[in-house]
Every structure is written in C-alpha cells, then in structure tokens.
C-alpha cells in the first residue's frame, strides 16, 4: 500500500529561520506523501530566494494578503483530499501527519483533526513525552460568550490527560482538514486577514454538521506569533485590532440574542484591559470595523441559519 497523499499549505511572512525547520519536519514525515506548498506573503528576509534555491514549491506574492487568503490560495493550488494547514513556526514529529490522516480517514463525519500542540522554545531540546512540556493547544473550545480558546494552553502537559476525543474545533496553527469541508464553506473568511479565522471556520463547519477530533498521539511544536513580531511595525496594536474585530464578527454570526448582555460585559472588561496595556485605540478601532460589517454579518447569519443549524455550534458554548 502506498503512502497517503496529503497537502501541506504553509503561509509564510518574514520568518525564514523557522520556515526552514518547519519544511524539514514536513519532508521527514513517514507514511504519507506530502504535497508541500509555501505561500509567501511578500517576505523581505530572503525567504523567496531560499525557496527558489532549494526548489521548494511555492507562490511568491508581492505583498501580505493575510493568513486566511494565503491558505485559501494554497488550497486552490493543491489537489490532495486532505489539507494540512501549518504556521511557519511549527515543527512536526515524524509520525504526525500519518496519525492525523489515519484518524480522519477512519471517520467520514470528521471535518478535521488536530495534533497535541506543544510550545516550542528555540534552541531547547524537544521531548514530546516530557511532562513539563508546555501545552499550546489540546483542541479549540468556546467560552459562554462565543470566544475561542485553546484547551490546556500554558499548562504543563503532565497535569492533563490527553486522549483522542471530539473537540469543538481545531487550532489553525496545525490541523488537517478535509478538502470537501473547505470547498463547501468557501475556506477561511478572507476579510479576517489573521486571528480568529480558525474559530470562525470551526463555527461555520459545526453549523453545517461537521465534527472535529483531537489526536494526541500526533505532536506538533509551535513557537507562536512569529510573523507578527517580525512583520508589523506595531505588532501588538495590530493584534489587538484584528482580534477585537474578528472575534465580534464571529459572535454576530451565530450567538443567540440572549447572550448580548454577557458579551457586552466581557467586552467592557476587554476594553479596560486594553486601556491598561495601552492598546485601547486599536481595540476600539477593531470593534468599530466589525460594526461597519454588520449588514454583511447579519446576511451571513441568515445564510448559516437557512443552510444549517446554529444550535450545533451553540451547544459547545
């Protein structure tokens, strides 16, 4: 029996050192045939010459079109039935994709599966069995006010039991999705640019009837926020604006009206924290951007309600 084909789409922006390690780990995968494609968002750190010199499949863009659009573009240029979405600052254990694809293949109702994601520290040895290794994600969950959060984030993995199980959704830093799901949903919402695009995709997939699993025996290491530190002049301000905008946009798409008081209270607290961190203006700017999208968001909400069941996502709150 031959190796299973799986597309691997890696958006990249000014993080060549991490990208090298990521690609090496993809090429070292056992039991699968990776269809690798790097989508470079106009990097200025020598990424494209590196990709050209090593003959690595890639798309070189003239500017940053965002994580969401870069992934969608990469998906459109690959053909394998399963699509791995990877941040450029991830490193995969050699059996990772084989395990993820096997889990996804075994259950046709699964739209995606994610690995156990551990925090990667550059220059520090990696031991996936180390109980002190810090978790980045054991699957995505939804808070009662409709925000996404990564389960187990920041905790030593030895303090939690990680078993294969259904989760609300998969983390966009490292996951394998069915091409069928991406085609049916139109991929990631490209207006989001970056941040919360995975929460939004998970919500829309749940409403449409798809399910997601955590496969903890598959392991990925992840640094986190590399491109944002390297690419933007004021990364924390951009982070605050995009998170505020995209989070509210997703809430408007599917949350019940009775949750508005809770959401308002949580968002008021977020504004207080933003003011304390000197990020109030970009946070407010993000929320106002989402409100300007309101007519489109309400149309999207009606489409989701008419083509699926909003309760399939709400039951995970």
């Amino acid at each position: 029996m031959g190796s299973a084909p799986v597309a691997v789409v890696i958006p990249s922006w000014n993080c060549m050192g991490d990208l090298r390690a990521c690609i090496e780990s993809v090429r070292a995968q056992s039991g699968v045939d990776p269809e690798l494609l790097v989508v470079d968002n106009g990097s200025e750190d020598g990424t494209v010459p590196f990709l050209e010199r090593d003959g690595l499949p890639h798309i070189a863009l003239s500017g940053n079109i965002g994580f969401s659009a870069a992934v969608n573009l990469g998906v459109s240029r690959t053909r394998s039935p399963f699509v791995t979405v990877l941040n450029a600052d991830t490193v995969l254990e050699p059996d990772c994709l084989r395990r993820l694809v096997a889990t996804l293949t075994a259950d046709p109702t699964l739209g995606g599966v994610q690995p156990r994601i551990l925090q990667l520290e550059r220059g520090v040895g990696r031991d996936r069995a180390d109980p002190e290794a810090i978790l980045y994600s054991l699957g995505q969950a939804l808070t009662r006010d409709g925000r996404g959060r990564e389960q187990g984030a920041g905790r030593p993995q030895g303090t939690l039991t990680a078993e294969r199980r259904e989760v609300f959704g998969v983390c966009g830093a490292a996951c394998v999705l069915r091409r069928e799901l991406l085609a049916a949903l139109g991929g990631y919402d490209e207006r989001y640019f970056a941040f919360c695009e995975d929460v939004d995709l998970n919500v829309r997939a749940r409403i449409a009837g798809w399910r997601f699993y955590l496969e903890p025996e598959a392991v990925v290491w992840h640094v986190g926020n590399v491109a944002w530190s390297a690419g933007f002049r004021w990364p924390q301000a951009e982070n605050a604006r995009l998170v505020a905008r995209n989070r509210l946009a997703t809430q408007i798409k599917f949350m019940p009206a009775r949750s508005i008081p809770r959401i308002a209270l949580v968002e008021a607290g977020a504004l207080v924290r933003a003011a304390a961190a000197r990020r109030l203006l970009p946070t407010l700017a993000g929320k106002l951007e989402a409100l300007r999208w309101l007519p489109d968001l309400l149309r999207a909400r009606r489409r989701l309600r008419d083509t699926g069941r909003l309760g399939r996502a709400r039951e995970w709150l």
Side-chain angles (χ1 to χ4, degrees):
M1 183 179 295
S3 297
V6 55
V8 180
V9 177
I10 309 174
S12 180
W13 189 38
N14 293 322
C15 48
M16 185 173 66
D18 291 296
L19 178 63
R20 285 178 185 270
C22 180
I23 291 173
E24 288 175 6
S25 73
V26 170
R27 297 172 105 177
Q29 292 299 294
S30 62
V32 293
D33 181 17
E35 183 189 3
L36 175 67
L37 182 63
V38 178
V39 183
D40 186 74
N41 267 323
S43 294
E44 299 175 342
D45 64 348
T47 293
V48 173
F50 151 65
L51 294 170
E52 293 174 341
R53 186 171 58 251
D54 283 28
L56 296 166
H58 67 280
I59 300 170
L61 301 173
S62 59
N64 190 351
I65 64 173
F67 178 89
S68 303
V71 171
N72 290 347
L73 178 60
V75 171
S76 73
R77 302 288 181 89
T78 56
R79 291 293 175 265
S80 299
F82 303 127
V83 179
T84 307
V85 179
L86 284 181
N87 282 12
D89 59 341
T90 56
V91 173
L92 287 65
E93 292 288 341
D95 60 349
C96 179
L97 292 185
R98 174 176 61 80
R99 292 181 180 276
L100 293 175
V101 169
T103 300
L104 199 50
T105 301
D107 188 343
T109 70
L110 293 180
V113 61
Q114 83 153 70
R116 172 169 36 118
I117 306 178
L118 300 175
Q119 191 73 49
L120 175 61
E121 294 184 44
R122 297 187 188 92
V124 177
R126 301 189 302 271
D127 177 4
R128 66 189 196 180
D130 180 3
E132 297 302 315
I134 301 301
L135 289 164
Y136 185 91
S137 175
L138 287 177
Q140 202 168 84
L142 275 179
T143 63
R144 291 179 66 187
D145 56 289
R147 293 173 295 150
R149 67 173 178 84
E150 303 302 335
Q151 297 187 66
R155 296 182 60 177
Q157 67 172 339
T159 64
L160 294 174
T161 300
E163 57 188 18
R164 182 186 299 168
R165 65 176 185 271
E166 186 170 0
V167 291
F168 156 70
V170 291
C171 176
C175 61
V176 179
L177 299 166
R178 287 189 190 274
R179 183 174 296 276
E180 181 183 354
L181 176 150
L182 292 166
L185 299 180
Y188 289 105
D189 189 331
E190 296 187 4
R191 289 193 305 181
Y192 280 39
F193 193 82
F195 293 116
C196 302
E197 75 289 324
D198 52 354
V199 183
D200 178 77
L201 184 76
N202 293 331
V203 164
R204 292 187 286 122
R206 278 286 175 186
I207 290 170
W210 293 101
R211 299 164 59 241
F212 297 101
Y213 253 56
L214 165 73
E215 175 47 79
E217 294 303 313
V219 175
V220 169
W221 299 82
H222 180 42
V223 178
N225 289 331
V226 166
W228 297 96
S229 299
F232 279 119
R233 186 175 179 183
W234 294 293
Q236 295 304 316
E238 285 298 314
N239 183 320
R241 180 180 69 84
L242 292 170
V243 169
R245 181 190 71 187
N246 298 347
R247 186 171 73 197
L248 182 55
T250 296
Q251 289 168 325
I252 291 171
K253 286 180 183 179
F254 85 103
M255 287 294 287
R258 65 178 180 273
S259 296
I260 291 176
R262 176 183 291 275
I263 292 172
L265 183 62
V266 170
E267 293 302 321
L271 290 176
V272 171
R273 291 190 295 275
R278 298 183 179 181
R279 294 196 297 268
L280 179 59
L281 289 180
T283 299
L284 283 172
K287 295 185 186 303
L288 289 174
E289 285 182 60
L291 292 176
R292 285 196 290 271
W293 291 354
L294 190 58
D296 286 343
L297 294 173
L298 292 176
R299 282 192 290 270
R301 182 187 179 97
R302 287 193 291 271
R303 284 195 301 271
L304 290 172
R305 181 196 61 206
D306 293 343
T307 58
R309 291 211 321 266
L310 299 182
R312 290 187 181 127
R314 292 172 180 172
E315 69 185 18
W316 287 86
L317 293 171

